[in-house]
Structures are given as structure tokens and as C-alpha cells.
Amino acid sequence: MMKPTQGQTGSQARPQGLSRRRFLAVSAGGIAGSAAAESALAESLADVPPREPGDPMSATSARSKYVDIARVPESTPGHRNVDPAEAINSKTPLQKLVGSITPSDLHYERSHAGVPEIDPAVHRLLVHGMVRRQIVLNMDDIRAMPSVSRVAFLECTGNGWENWKSAPSDVTVQNTHGLVSTHEWTGVPLSFLIDLVGVDRNSTWMLAEGGDGAAVARSVPLTDEIIAEGMLAYGQNGEPLRPAHGFPLRLFLPGFEGNLNIKWLRRLKFGDRPFMTRWETARYTQLQADGHARQFQLRQDVNSVITSPSGMMRIAKGYNRLTGLAWSGHGRIVRVEISTDGAATWQEAELGTALPKAQTRFQSHWVWDGQPTRIVSRSTDEAGNIQPDRATFIARTGTNALFHYNAQQTWAIDAEGNVRNVLA
Ligand SMILES: Nc1nc2c(c(=O)[nH]1)N[C@H]1C(S)=C(S)[C@@H](COP(=O)(O)O)O[C@H]1N2
Ligand SMILES: [Mo]
């Protein structure tokens, strides 16, 4: 044990007879006791590196050079780590995030024709169709309107498709689940705009169109829920939207499939039936087991994944904190259960702040005995939906489909502690 080298170090300040080691043992007890038991316990400031002079202030703060965290560009399933020019999306590093909010520059990205560089001074939103007053709004008009802010996830319907047909063993959770992120979004409530233009009571659908080259356009059903929760978003995590995420304006519909959340929003048209764009008749449909295609499967289902330990990590025998994220397009997460014996027995995990339609952090404590095993999580939302195991999910959906995969994610652990993606 190191001795204090100077008189003013911490040892004198400590209450008599109460060593830090004992303090840990006494107060932390059970879980924390086992977590800290093998850590070296320092005795004084002599065990702590000296203070350092700093760099000058800056206009924006960069990450520490010691932090290695980035999205990965990918193309279709099986084509990972491609040249960004070939990529169709860029995935969030879930295994490196803490808490439940995704930093703005790490929000996953899916753009069908690149990222247009739109000048907000010239951007316009046309609102027309079954309305009393057809209008064209500029960004000043929109920013002057009442706004709301809400923490919610956004998820691409393609999230999880890596595991639909087979389970590549060399993937991380970023590869398997990195098409979901959570932000605080700010914008004008859709209900405000609907009142402003006087949408006809017989209008039941709204076409939303983007200003990028792909001409992505989707029909949105005007349900009470979508009218109440939808927004014309211009802010993410306290700042204007970033270009990749739709600057200066996007549609944001909490809980509904990523593709519906039209970026670079330039037009809303109200009608009394779906507009049947190619994005909903061909692209974002689900081929069922019987060969029929299902249209307008719009809600993101209850989901969860253990992010640590997860694919391509290596764990050691003894205490391991298990943590991950759970989310549901139906509302709040009310329960996450974890199995460390291949889904034979389950224990309830601790939940962090559980907001409706937002990713919720969970954790659990595990002492690994060194035997090969499988770990898996399963979530339940406030509507009573329970995340299905893979066999149930495949029996229900078949193997022709590609979207809305929400089966439980299993990670296998071998005798050396290597964590690998497996089907179940
Ligand atoms: N105009 C437009 N909107 C779009 C897209 C697009 O390519 N163009 N991609 C959609 C898809 S498929 C998804 S999953 C989300 C992705 O939003 P993000 O890139 O901000 O994560 O935006 C949707 N909105
Ligand atoms: Mo998507």
C-alpha cells in the first residue's frame, strides 16, 4: 500500500477507524461489493495523477482523443463496412453509448439519394389538398409557431434485418441493431398546422414529400394518435436539425416506421385515401409467408437488445454488468427481463427513465462462472406487448419479409468469454 507523501492528503480527513476499503464493504454490500472487490483501492492523492494545464477554449467542443466512437456505413444485409459512397445507411454505435439519448452526430442515418444542402432562407413548405386555406410557409413562419419538444426514438424498419435469415457470427450490436436512435425533437405540433389550414373533416390521409432527389413521399393515416403526437420538427437535441436528418424541416411521428418521417419536408397534401406512392406499394411493403405483400405496416414494435456484453466483445469470469436498451412504438417500456441461461430462466432488469416511445436503458448484475452460455433480453410495453422469441416471430411472419424484425436477440458466450451473434 502506498503511503501519503504529503501531510495534507486525504488520510487525515477520513473519519477515524473507517478505511475506504471498509467503507466500500459496509455501505455497498451485495452487488457493488462484488463489483468492487477485485478493484485496487487507492489510499491517497499520491495514487491519482497530477492536475494538468488545459487547452484554450473553443467554439464547439470535440470529443476526447481517447474516445473512439463513430457510426458505420453499410449497404444491404451482408455488406458491412463498405465505402461510404456505396452505403445506404450509417449505423449508431449502441455498444458505446451510455444513458438513453443518442448524440446528434451519432444518430443513425438513412438517406435514399444523399443529403441535400438546403438553404433555410429559400426552403418552403406547401400545404394543400383537402384544406380550407392552401398555404406556402417559410422557415421563419414555422419557427414563429408554438412548438413542443419530446424525447422519442426513430427506427428504420430495416433494423434487425441482419438476423432475419441467418446469424452472421462476426457482427456487433451496431451491425444488428444500429438503425435506432433517441433524441429530443422540437417542432410545431401537427395538430396546430391542421387547425391553421382548416383540414377537411373527411380527410383521413396526408401525403408527406421530401425535397431530396429520391422524391421520397409517404401517405400518413390521420389517426387521433398521429394528429396528437406528430410534429414538423426543426430541432434535434437542442439545436437545429443537422442536414443528414432533414435540415431545415422534417416530419416526426413518434413510434412509426423511419421511412414515414420525411426529411427535407417540402409538401403536405391532405386527402381522403392513401396516395399509393411507390414507397408504399413496392419499397416498404412486407412479403408474407403466403406470397402476399402487406402494405402500411407502420408501427415499430416492442424491442430490446443487450448492448454490453454484445457481439465481438470478450468478458471475464466474475462480475459482469449487463446493460442494454429497450423501446416500443406502442408507448412506455414497463419491464425488461434478462436470461443468462439461454432463455431457460429470467430475471427482471432495473430500468432507467422510461419515457413513452423512447429508448429505455436497462441493467442487471451477473457473476459469470466461466461456463459457455447464452444471454438474451425480452421487453414488455405498457400496451402489454411482449417481445417475441425468434421461433415465435418466424412462425408468425415467415422468412420472405425483411422489415420490422423485433425478435429477441441472443448472444452466445464461449468458454474463453467471446461474445457472438447467434439465432437463439
Ligand atoms: N426525404 C427523405 N426522407 C426520408 C428518407 C429519405 O431518404 N429522404 N429516408 C427515410 C428513412 S428510410 C428513414 S429510416 C429515416 C431516417 O432518418 P435519419 O437519417 O434522420 O435517421 O428518414 C426517412 N425519411
Ligand atoms: Mo428506413
Side-chain angles (χ1 to χ4, degrees):
M1 192 132 333
M2 294 198 68
K3 284 266 168 266
T5 50
Q6 290 165 353
Q8 75 271 31
T9 48
S11 59
Q12 265 103 352
R14 213 175 289 138
Q16 270 245 305
L18 184 64
S19 81
R20 204 166 303 187
R21 192 183 297 276
R22 246 191 32 228
F23 175 73
L24 277 173
V26 170
S27 74
I31 291 154
S34 63
E38 289 163 35
S39 308
L41 297 175
E43 285 292 310
S44 79
L45 269 183
D47 301 317
V48 175
R51 292 181 294 229
E52 274 186 47
D55 286 335
M57 305 299 117
S58 53
T60 56
S61 42
R63 291 199 170 86
S64 162
K65 66 179 178 189
Y66 302 108
V67 173
D68 174 21
I69 189 166
R71 294 189 304 221
V72 289
E74 283 187 7
S75 89
T76 44
H79 295 86
R80 295 182 293 278
N81 303 321
V82 296
D83 181 329
E86 307 287 314
I88 65 162
N89 53 41
S90 194
K91 294 181 172 178
T92 296
L94 296 175
Q95 72 279 28
K96 295 185 180 176
L97 299 185
V98 297
S100 52
I101 302 286
T102 314
S104 293
D105 62 343
L106 297 174
H107 193 286
Y108 87 86
E109 183 186 350
R110 171 75 176 106
S111 298
H112 291 264
V115 177
E117 201 181 310
I118 296 179
D119 177 351
V122 303
H123 189 70
R124 296 291 182 272
L125 173 68
L126 167 65
V127 186
H128 67 154
M130 292 173 69
V131 298
R132 263 202 313 280
R133 285 202 301 159
Q134 172 169 326
I135 53 174
V136 173
L137 298 168
N138 66 33
M139 285 309 297
D140 286 341
D141 297 331
I142 288 167
R143 278 188 297 252
M145 292 175 184
S147 80
V148 286
S149 293
R150 172 173 184 177
V151 174
F153 75 82
L154 181 66
E155 182 179 25
C156 180
T157 40
N159 204 23
W161 67 10
E162 301 280 339
N163 275 357
W164 199 298
K165 307 217 156 64
S166 61
S169 63
D170 61 341
V171 291
T172 67
V173 69
Q174 182 168 14
N175 301 128
T176 59
H177 287 78
L179 290 175
V180 60
S181 302
T182 290
H183 267 10
E184 184 197 63
W185 303 92
T186 296
V188 174
L190 183 58
S191 58
F192 180 85
L193 187 85
I194 285 176
D195 288 348
L196 184 78
V197 297
V199 171
D200 190 308
R201 290 177 54 204
N202 295 320
S203 171
T204 46
W205 289 81
M206 172 182 83
L207 179 76
E209 184 187 76
D212 53 331
V216 180
R218 289 297 305 267
S219 303
V220 177
L222 292 175
T223 61
D224 291 349
E225 179 186 6
I226 283 182
I227 293 172
E229 299 184 29
M231 64 168 98
L232 310 179
Y234 52 78
Q236 61 179 111
N237 287 345
E239 62 172 334
L241 288 178
R242 296 194 173 193
H245 305 295
F247 181 83
L249 190 68
R250 85 178 303 167
L251 187 63
F252 187 69
L253 304 171
F256 291 91
E257 72 173 14
N259 190 257
L260 233 51
N261 295 255
I262 298 295
K263 302 192 275 190
W264 314 292
L265 186 67
R266 71 197 285 263
R267 182 158 80 106
L268 291 175
K269 183 176 185 183
F270 291 88
D272 59 4
R273 67 201 69 179
F275 294 79
M276 305 311 266
T277 72
R278 75 180 184 90
W279 301 93
E280 51 214 16
T281 55
R283 292 297 294 272
Y284 287 87
T285 58
Q286 285 269 75
L287 193 55
Q288 308 290 285
D290 66 3
H292 285 85
R294 177 174 174 191
Q295 297 175 327
F296 301 109
Q297 181 180 357
L298 302 181
R299 198 186 293 274
Q300 294 302 114
D301 271 318
V302 65
N303 213 331
S304 76
V305 65
I306 298 173
T307 56
S308 183
S310 59
M312 307 310 285
M313 291 184 183
R314 187 167 185 178
I315 63 166
K317 231 167 110 166
Y319 176 82
N320 280 277
R321 170 179 180 251
L322 304 176
T323 186
L325 291 160
W327 64 98
S328 171
H330 297 270
R332 277 190 180 78
I333 292 296
V334 294
R335 185 162 50 253
V336 176
E337 296 153 291
I338 292 184
S339 174
T340 55
D341 56 11
T345 63
W346 298 85
Q347 296 85 39
E348 204 161 325
E350 298 163 14
L351 296 188
T353 310
L355 297 172
K357 304 181 181 179
Q359 283 174 295
T360 299
R361 172 68 57 182
F362 63 83
Q363 74 171 357
S364 186
H365 311 283
W366 180 42
V367 177
W368 183 44
D369 60 9
Q371 295 303 307
T373 190
R374 290 175 179 220
I375 60 173
V376 51
S377 66
R378 117 180 132 197
S379 56
T380 304
D381 66 28
E382 63 180 327
N385 301 292
I386 302 174
Q387 187 184 2
D389 60 40
R390 188 183 149 78
T392 306
F393 177 83
I394 295 294
R396 195 190 291 161
T397 327
T399 50
N400 288 333
L402 197 59
F403 296 130
H404 292 277
Y405 186 90
N406 73 321
Q408 294 161 21
Q409 170 66 42
T410 304
W411 303 114
I413 299 171
D414 69 14
E416 276 76 53
N418 297 304
V419 186
R420 293 292 182 269
N421 180 36
V422 287
L423 284 184

